[in-house]
Amino acid sequence: MPLLGAGWFAFRELSSVRSARDSAAVVDRDTRALVRYTDLQASLLDERNWRLAVLGVQEIGISPDLITKVIGIDLVIEWESAAARVDAVAAEIDDPAIDAELAELRVDDETDLRLLGVRYRALEDELNVRSDALFDELLAVAGDVPDGAELIGTARVLEAAAATRSSTAQQLSSYFSARFSGAETAREEVAVLLQQQTVYDDAIEQIERSAESDSMAAEQLGVVETSADVTTFSDGVTQIIETTQELLANGDEGGLGFVTQDLAGVARQFEAGKISSELHLDLVTAAGNDVIISSQALTDRADAATRQAMATIGFLTVVSVAFTIALTRFIGQPLHRLSETAKLLRDGAHRDAVVLAGPVEVREAASALNDASTQLHLAERQAKALARGDLDAAVLAETASGGLGASLQEAVQTLAASMGEREEFRRRLAHEASHDGLTHLPNRKACLEKLHEALARTDSSRSDVAVIFIDLDGFKVVNDQFGHPAGDVVLETTSQRLLSCVRSSDLVGRLGGDEFVVIVDPVGGIDEVQALAERLLDAIGQPISIGKATVRVGGSLGIAMADDPEASGDDLLRDADLAVYRAKANGRNQVVVCDDELRSVVVRQNELDVAIRSAIADDELSLYYQPIVDPLTEQQVGLEALIRWFRPGGDMMPPDSFIPFAERSDLIVEIDSWVVDRVARQMAAWRSEGVDHLVPVSINISGRHLSVDAFVDDVMAPLERYGIDPALIVIEVTESALLDDLGGAAAKLQSLRDRGVRIAIDDFGTGYTSLAHLKTLPIDILKIDQSFTSDDSASSLVKLIIDTGHLLGVSITAEGIETADQAHALSSMGSDDLQGYYYGRPCPPEDITHHFPSALEDR
């Protein structure tokens, strides 16, 4: 067995060493290949840039020789130099497929710059795929290697360095296109420059965060960051972005494109860009060398582990052989004789005693077996007593000699004690089930039981029981700023302060979160309860120390008196909760008593809730549709579905009178789902009526519905049921609905967008959506709120919103158009679509005019 153990150890250690060496070899190979692929991608991008530059200046009627004379850059030589660099790197990679694709690019007579760029990008994409595969393999290997964290870190730096090199080359290409192309191309390339600046900044930040201070990558990064050429190139890119955006904002698209008066500046920018590209390639090489050094360190550790393992294996082998010989000679034979006696004891043949005979060791073992037999017999009798639950049995007090006897007796006593503690344990569990784990106050269940008991003891007036409901103000701010441990300190401190303010007959409980309750029993009247509530409010507002910081929270307190003989504990708690909501609505940090007026508000809200649910069930709700128009053709290009509620008798409830109420609960989800279903059904009806061209219909969705997990299914199910093309549906959400959970909302909207549904941001400009948010959101349309379109002084802001939206690739719809002047102004600013009373008021579906120009003639 020792020899088997030594063999197993040897196999495990050598396997581990072999795996480490193999992993190091894979890392070294992949790293060198990654550097070559990165070099090839950058060189290929340089070749594409210079080739397109030559063809580009020829296309606009400028000779490359003229460019050379004016700015000192020979575009043809730069092209040939870049092509030679590509050939050299491709030769190192030695991949026939890449060579074949390069050859096809070189002999192609294609002069269409866009198509030629597409062909180059196809090869660049293929190289990206190969690089990504190599990097994934490198990370996977590094992740499986013990102590591979350093290797993973250097690999991440290599990835970021490659990103800076690629981004720099792409910025140089886009800079050239923006300076030497027309307005439309300049607009597109500036958008690319914005994107690549973000990619570059993120990659540099990753290198600064991950690279070791003494690494080659860190040293080369210092060279890059202090390079005047890098700074010159970056400033030039920023300048053309700002210039283009300023021209777009002023409507001066004619100023975009080739700027002849600044050819010298362009030359300097190209030279700085070339040097910047070379410095970033050096950064890639340095990062690759860091990875190779980390890989070599793995190999060195593997070699050291090999030597250590061989030495350990040799030592274990010698020890195992010596141990085996000694064991056989001095113990094996006597134990064989003793085993026969042990088998008899096992089979019960020697229940009372074992015959003592043989060597000293055997006799001692036989004596031990006798003692064990006696001890086991005692343990058997004690176990039976415990099984009966007879904790007072005399046998439990008996002891046996020897260590085994003491251990058995200790086990028996432990079992007896644990059975005696079982009831105490049950009582403790019952206490924990009825008390809050953090503050140790009674929980909601225990508080309600106490309240029911108090009400049952009172007389018919129940005037001597009161409930104070406490909701902390500002608790979420403490949690957000200092973390949940700080929030726990606030809750524990608040619970102790509440306890210090009440009598022994009163009960303080925690209902959950930052909500507490005080059951005042007995109480002489409302004045006494209000005085107590004011003391509680003052205690809550005292400063609380959290480490070196000091925080304050407030409280909104609601009082409910047990003055209704029919009211239950739940009713009393609900009334106090209502008073808390009133306190918060009145400005927080105050005490409010629940009265009949407050209860009547709840009754009205309940009645409205029931009425809305009945309206959905009884088809009292209707959808009206308002046209969305292309201002250039005055063709109807869309409709917006707007809900209307006609009560029995013909009275219409304005949406503002019930939608805000519904949005405070899940009732709005039912309304949203009803609207989506009715829109899909109406579009199916129009289709069956022979409408030749259905236009997209916009549907407003609430933020509460957007947060529901089933949101995407709620939208898609009616469309599938009625066979409606998702491209005919536009989902509109407000800015505020997105900001509550930007990541979750973006994921759900992207899921709808992947299925064909378009996404619009409604009332844009009234919320807090930033440009950074817009870049990350999956949106197709921005709808400018009518508060901007109706304000002449906001025209500059509206123009900026339109230009920014177009730069991001989204369509713009201006709402609230009521006059011809407004329509003309918004159209001239570049708004793609218009909507408002000028083009038509919301109307029922049967009044919709699908051939919209005729409707304009009737206006």
Side-chain angles (χ1 to χ4, degrees):
M1 290 300 294
L3 286 175
L4 289 175
W8 173 83
F9 177 82
F11 175 80
R12 188 191 66 176
E13 289 298 311
L14 291 177
S15 296
S16 175
V17 169
R18 187 183 305 109
S19 176
R21 291 183 62 86
D22 292 344
S23 297
V26 171
V27 169
D28 184 84
R29 181 197 67 203
D30 288 354
T31 301
R32 296 179 188 277
L34 271 172
V35 172
R36 286 195 292 272
Y37 274 115
T38 301
D39 194 359
L40 180 57
Q41 288 173 277
S43 301
L44 185 63
L45 185 57
D46 289 340
E47 177 183 337
R48 184 190 75 181
N49 292 344
W50 292 113
R51 184 176 180 183
L52 292 178
V54 172
L55 297 177
V57 297
Q58 290 175 348
E59 184 178 271
I60 62 177
I62 300 177
S63 169
D65 294 336
L66 178 60
I67 295 295
T68 302
K69 293 178 181 179
V70 174
I71 64 176
I73 297 176
D74 192 324
L75 300 181
V76 176
I77 291 179
E78 294 293 347
W79 174 15
E80 293 173 349
S81 175
R85 175 61 181 171
V86 169
D87 291 338
V89 180
E92 293 180 5
I93 294 177
D94 191 19
D95 188 324
I98 294 177
D99 294 339
E101 293 188 41
L102 281 173
E104 184 178 352
L105 278 175
R106 301 283 175 69
V107 302
D108 196 350
D109 295 330
E110 179 64 60
T111 58
D112 186 328
L113 299 187
R114 286 186 176 273
L115 183 56
L116 188 59
V118 169
R119 296 171 65 86
Y120 269 98
R121 280 192 290 272
L123 180 54
E124 293 167 8
D125 291 342
E126 181 178 343
L127 294 176
N128 278 332
V129 170
R130 297 189 182 195
S131 297
D132 291 343
L134 283 171
F135 189 75
D136 290 342
E137 181 181 21
L138 191 153
L139 285 182
V141 172
D144 292 336
V145 174
D147 302 326
E150 178 183 353
L151 181 56
I152 292 176
T154 56
R156 293 293 185 191
V157 173
L158 173 59
E159 180 186 32
T164 65
R165 175 63 175 92
S166 175
S167 176
T168 300
Q170 183 62 56
Q171 288 183 59
L172 181 58
S173 173
S174 295
Y175 177 87
F176 177 83
S177 296
R179 295 300 298 264
F180 288 88
S181 301
E184 186 61 31
T185 300
R187 184 197 307 271
E188 296 174 358
E189 295 300 340
V190 166
V192 173
L193 287 172
L194 280 170
Q195 178 188 17
Q196 289 301 320
Q197 276 190 332
T198 301
V199 171
Y200 181 86
D201 292 343
D202 291 344
I204 289 295
E205 182 182 351
Q206 173 70 23
I207 297 173
E208 292 174 342
R209 184 171 60 250
S210 303
E212 297 291 338
S213 58
D214 58 348
S215 65
M216 294 184 181
E219 181 179 354
Q220 183 60 29
L221 179 61
V223 174
V224 170
E225 291 180 333
T226 57
S227 168
D229 291 292
V230 173
T231 301
T232 298
F233 177 66
S234 176
D235 291 345
V237 170
T238 301
Q239 180 181 6
I240 195 170
I241 291 173
E242 293 175 349
T243 300
T244 301
Q245 289 180 332
E246 181 179 355
L247 291 173
L248 289 174
N250 294 331
D252 184 12
E253 295 191 357
L256 302 176
F258 182 39
V259 185
T260 57
Q261 64 270 27
D262 192 26
L263 289 178
V266 173
R268 173 59 186 141
Q269 187 67 5
F270 280 166
E271 288 297 329
K274 286 178 56 183
I275 296 174
S276 178
S277 182
E278 292 169 359
L279 290 176
H280 285 88
L281 183 57
D282 293 340
L283 178 60
V284 174
T285 302
N289 289 337
D290 288 338
V291 178
I292 293 173
I293 291 172
S294 296
S295 173
Q296 184 59 47
L298 286 178
T299 303
D300 295 343
R301 287 198 294 270
D303 291 340
T306 300
R307 293 190 295 271
Q308 179 64 35
M310 295 303 296
T312 303
I313 291 168
F315 174 76
L316 288 177
T317 301
V318 172
V319 171
S320 298
V321 171
F323 180 78
T324 302
I325 294 172
L327 187 67
T328 302
R329 177 177 299 174
F330 296 106
I331 301 176
Q333 293 176 355
L335 282 180
H336 175 70
R337 291 192 298 268
L338 184 60
S339 68
E340 295 299 324
T341 304
K343 290 178 182 178
L344 295 175
L345 179 60
R346 178 198 63 191
D347 296 336
H350 294 276
R351 179 75 175 183
D352 296 328
V354 179
V355 176
L356 301 178
V360 174
E361 294 86 354
V362 176
R363 291 198 298 270
E364 290 178 351
S367 177
L369 287 174
N370 284 334
D371 291 341
S373 176
T374 301
Q375 294 160 358
L376 290 173
H377 181 58
L378 174 60
E380 180 181 354
R381 292 185 291 121
Q382 290 176 332
K384 290 179 179 179
L386 290 174
R388 294 192 304 269
D390 186 4
L391 300 180
D392 296 326
V395 69
L396 297 179
E398 295 184 21
T399 60
S401 61
L404 177 60
S407 297
L408 289 174
Q409 185 62 28
E410 181 180 357
V412 169
Q413 295 300 325
T414 300
L415 287 173
S418 68
M419 293 177 67
E421 294 171 354
R422 184 159 48 190
E423 287 303 317
E424 177 62 25
F425 178 68
R426 288 176 179 175
R427 287 192 293 271
R428 188 165 62 252
L429 284 180
H431 178 271
E432 292 175 355
S434 61
H435 286 70
D436 173 53
L438 175 65
T439 63
H440 305 293
L441 295 177
N443 58 20
R444 176 181 289 271
K445 179 181 178 182
C447 289
L448 282 173
E449 290 176 354
K450 166 69 174 179
L451 187 54
H452 293 322
E453 292 175 2
L455 292 174
R457 289 195 307 268
T458 60
D459 58 17
S460 58
S461 68
R462 297 190 174 184
S463 60
D464 54 355
V465 176
V467 170
I468 304 176
F469 195 116
I470 304 165
D471 192 318
L472 299 184
D473 297 328
F475 177 73
K476 184 177 184 301
V477 174
V478 174
N479 258 344
D480 292 343
Q481 290 184 349
F482 299 97
H484 289 286
D488 291 345
V489 172
V490 171
L491 293 174
E492 290 177 303
T493 304
T494 300
S495 67
Q496 293 302 314
R497 290 177 177 177
L498 296 178
L499 287 170
S500 68
C501 294
V502 301
R503 304 164 304 182
S504 59
S505 61
D506 301 331
L507 180 137
V508 178
R510 183 185 177 199
L511 300 179
D514 59 351
E515 296 178 346
F516 296 85
V517 67
V518 176
I519 300 174
V520 188
D521 177 28
V523 64
I526 185 61
D527 293 339
E528 183 179 340
V529 181
Q530 286 184 305
L532 173 58
E534 293 294 342
R535 293 198 302 273
L536 295 173
L537 186 61
D538 181 67
I540 292 170
Q542 296 303 310
I544 299 175
S545 297
I546 300 178
K548 296 181 179 181
T550 300
V551 300
R552 287 179 181 268
V553 296
S556 294
L557 279 63
I559 298 175
M561 298 292 295
D563 51 9
D564 182 358
E566 303 297 328
S568 66
D570 294 304
D571 295 335
L572 206 58
L573 197 60
R574 180 207 63 199
D575 288 350
D577 192 12
L578 292 176
V580 167
Y581 277 110
R582 174 63 62 82
K584 287 185 177 293
N586 290 346
R588 302 175 183 270
N589 203 40
Q590 58 185 273
V591 178
V592 171
V593 179
C594 183
D595 53 18
D596 291 338
E597 179 186 355
L598 185 56
R599 294 188 185 97
S600 66
V601 171
V602 176
V603 170
R604 289 195 298 272
Q605 290 178 342
N606 291 337
E607 290 174 348
L608 181 56
D609 183 276
V610 172
I612 295 175
R613 296 182 190 277
S614 297
I616 297 175
D618 298 339
D619 272 344
E620 295 178 11
L621 300 178
S622 301
L623 287 183
Y624 275 38
Y625 297 86
Q626 186 175 32
I628 301 172
V629 177
D630 182 339
L632 299 180
T633 64
E634 290 199 326
Q635 290 283 341
Q636 178 175 279
V637 294
L639 297 168
E640 180 176 0
L642 301 170
I643 194 167
R644 297 292 184 265
W645 181 11
F646 292 95
R647 300 297 299 271
D651 295 333
M652 187 186 81
M653 289 279 288
D656 291 345
S657 66
F658 66 93
I659 291 297
F661 168 76
E663 287 179 336
R664 292 196 293 269
S665 70
D666 289 338
L667 187 57
I668 192 63
V669 177
E670 295 185 38
I671 294 177
D672 283 353
S673 299
W674 180 90
V675 171
V676 176
D677 181 83
R678 287 307 172 94
V679 167
R681 188 167 72 176
Q682 183 60 59
M683 296 184 77
W686 280 331
R687 183 177 56 200
S688 65
E689 293 169 2
V691 175
D692 295 331
H693 180 66
L694 290 177
V695 295
V697 176
S698 299
I699 301 173
N700 293 282
I701 293 296
S702 71
R704 182 181 288 271
H705 195 181
L706 185 58
S707 67
V708 174
D709 292 339
F711 167 70
V712 175
D713 291 336
D714 288 348
V715 174
M716 294 305 301
L719 304 185
E720 295 171 0
R721 183 163 56 251
Y722 293 104
I724 302 302
D725 183 358
L728 292 174
I729 297 298
V730 179
I731 293 299
E732 294 189 8
V733 293
T734 62
E735 295 178 84
S736 58
L738 294 171
L739 295 180
D740 290 339
D741 180 12
L742 190 62
K748 292 172 184 173
L749 294 178
Q750 184 62 55
S751 179
L752 284 180
R753 202 162 179 248
D754 292 341
R755 291 165 168 83
V757 177
R758 289 192 293 165
I759 307 301
I761 302 297
D762 194 17
D763 299 337
F764 184 75
T766 61
Y768 302 94
T769 305
S770 67
L771 180 61
H773 290 152
L774 290 180
K775 290 172 62 179
T776 61
L777 289 172
I779 59 175
D780 302 284
I781 301 169
L782 285 182
K783 299 191 73 173
I784 304 177
D785 187 69
Q786 63 180 356
S787 61
F788 294 98
T789 60
S790 61
D791 185 357
D792 294 338
S793 63
S795 59
S796 297
L797 179 58
V798 172
K799 175 62 177 173
L800 179 60
I801 292 174
I802 292 173
D803 290 340
T804 302
H806 286 161
L807 190 61
L808 294 173
V810 301
S811 176
I812 306 297
T813 299
E815 299 179 299
I817 305 301
E818 297 185 354
T819 67
D821 289 341
Q822 289 178 344
H824 176 74
L826 269 297
S827 176
S828 63
M829 289 183 196
S831 181
D832 301 287
D833 299 317
L834 303 178
Q835 179 182 353
Y837 286 173
Y838 177 68
Y839 292 104
R841 292 177 176 272
C843 61
E846 56 270 16
D847 295 340
I848 292 296
T849 302
H850 294 282
H851 301 287
F852 200 63
S854 63
L856 290 177
E857 295 169 4
D858 297 337
R859 185 177 59 223

